[in-house]
């Protein structure tokens, strides 16, 4: 049974032609293999929604340091956690130093 994982990324190399070419090839490979379900970039500042009882508040933000901004995501479907980690390792090798977070998606 396949499992889905949501991967987010912070940091990485400055975008240049080499990075775009390597990432394009990686995305194409993952798509052809049926692993990559969705991918995309995220705006640096979204919205924050908080709730307390019946009160819901929406504010601009979060306001983070540049190194803490989540820059993008990928949703993958793989056979195991180990396979998800290997996909994330390959991604990090392309984009360089930074952080990726990986969550299993249920449902």
């Amino acid at each position: 049974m396949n499992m889905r994982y949501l991967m987010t990324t912070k940091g990485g190399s400055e975008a240049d032609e080499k990075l775009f070419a390597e990432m394009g090839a990686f995305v194409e490979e993952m798509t052809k293999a049926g692993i990559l379900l969705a991918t995309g970039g995220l705006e640096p500042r979204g919205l924050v929604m908080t709730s307390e009882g019946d009160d819901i508040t929406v504010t601009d933000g979060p306001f983070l340091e540049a190194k803490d901004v989540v820059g993008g995501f990928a949703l993958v479907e793989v056979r195991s956690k180990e396979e998800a980690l290997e996909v994330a390792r390959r991604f990090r090798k392309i984009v360089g130093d930074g952080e990726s977070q990986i969550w299993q998606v249920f449902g």
Side-chain angles (χ1 to χ4, degrees):
M1 181 166 122
N2 287 340
M3 298 176 273
R4 290 179 291 156
Y5 285 87
L6 178 66
M7 303 176 180
T8 61
T9 184
K10 298 178 189 176
S13 301
E14 283 284 323
D16 60 15
E17 292 301 317
K18 180 180 180 214
L19 177 68
F20 285 129
E22 289 179 5
M23 188 55 65
F26 181 63
V27 166
E28 185 177 336
E29 176 189 342
M30 295 295 111
T31 301
K32 284 182 179 177
I35 293 170
L36 185 62
L37 302 177
T39 186
L42 301 171
E43 76 174 308
R45 289 184 296 201
L47 300 171
V48 176
M49 179 180 285
T50 56
S51 63
E52 187 173 333
D54 290 334
D55 294 330
I56 296 178
T57 305
V58 179
T59 57
D60 291 336
F63 300 101
L64 305 169
E65 293 185 36
K67 67 180 179 56
D68 294 325
V69 172
V70 175
F73 74 94
L75 180 62
V76 298
E77 186 169 56
V78 293
R79 293 180 296 274
S80 66
K81 177 173 71 172
E82 291 74 22
E83 188 176 356
L85 291 172
E86 183 55 32
V87 169
R89 279 187 190 97
R90 290 185 60 200
F91 172 81
R92 289 276 18 136
K93 285 182 181 180
I94 294 170
V95 298
D97 295 344
E99 175 183 294
S100 291
Q101 295 182 357
I102 301 140
W103 294 280
Q104 186 173 358
V105 177
F106 299 106

